[in-house]
Amino acid sequence: MVVTVSFDMLRLALGVGTLDTGERLSPEQVRRLACDAKIIPAILGGDGQILDLGRTRRLINGPLRRALELRDKGCAFPGCDRPPRWCHGHHIKSWADGGPTTLNNSVMLCGHHHRLIHRGHRTVQIATDGIPEFIPPAYVDLERQPRRNTYHRRE
């Protein structure tokens, strides 16, 4: 699949993307596709000639995926019981915004919670002990205290 969108528009979640079929995608659709896709950004000159091709290591797979499964043990969102096989690896700092594909920038999320995070209803951080924490919006908790999933950590 080829989606054409300027890097600034992708990073700022503005404008629309265009598929190679001519179909247009909303900024949210483009960012959601970019989150789960293997992207090779191409910098084009004024006449459409390729000037540069960017980095390709984007997917959270192989040994990194296994390490993420061992750390999070399933969806890391507080209270969720979804097992690793039902989850995606998510970049905490978006890859489109320069976030690396590393364990410290990844969290395991089921599809529902992955979409929730992309809509901006919660933020994710990795605590000093290496465990993901989720910061709720002020309308849920005025003090915005970090929360963890304890379901997968039961003995």
Side-chain angles (χ1 to χ4, degrees):
M1 174 185 306
V2 175
V3 177
T4 303
V5 63
S6 77
F7 179 73
D8 287 336
M9 293 295 128
L10 177 63
R11 186 173 49 80
L12 298 172
L14 300 171
V16 297
T18 306
L19 292 173
D20 53 354
T21 62
E23 184 176 347
R24 297 166 62 84
L25 300 172
S26 73
E28 182 179 331
Q29 290 171 313
V30 171
R31 286 186 68 87
R32 194 172 321 125
L33 285 170
C35 181
D36 295 328
K38 183 173 186 178
I39 292 181
I40 303 173
I43 299 174
L44 306 177
D47 295 326
Q49 73 273 22
I50 296 176
L51 301 178
D52 187 29
L53 289 174
R55 60 192 169 133
T56 62
R57 176 76 172 138
R58 178 181 180 74
L59 296 180
I60 299 168
N61 56 18
L64 178 57
R65 168 70 186 207
R66 287 189 289 283
L68 190 59
E69 289 175 0
L70 287 170
R71 185 193 71 197
D72 294 352
K73 300 175 177 45
C75 181
F77 196 88
C80 188
D81 64 353
R82 299 297 182 228
R85 69 182 176 278
W86 292 13
C87 297
H88 312 134
H90 169 75
H91 288 82
I92 294 169
K93 179 180 180 187
S94 170
W95 192 85
D97 295 332
T101 303
T102 62
L103 186 60
N104 288 334
N105 190 46
S106 303
V107 64
M108 187 163 278
L109 296 169
C110 68
H112 172 73
H113 291 119
H114 199 176
R115 288 184 295 278
L116 187 74
I117 293 296
H118 274 282
R119 290 185 193 122
H121 294 284
R122 302 281 192 285
T123 56
V124 186
Q125 65 187 21
I126 301 296
T128 56
D129 63 356
I131 304 301
E133 296 180 327
F134 294 77
I135 313 297
Y139 66 83
V140 171
D141 177 1
L142 286 175
E143 296 181 15
R144 303 198 68 213
Q145 293 296 311
R147 298 175 185 191
R148 295 180 173 196
N149 186 337
T150 58
Y151 180 85
H152 302 293
R153 305 215 177 275
R154 296 182 295 173
E155 296 295 319

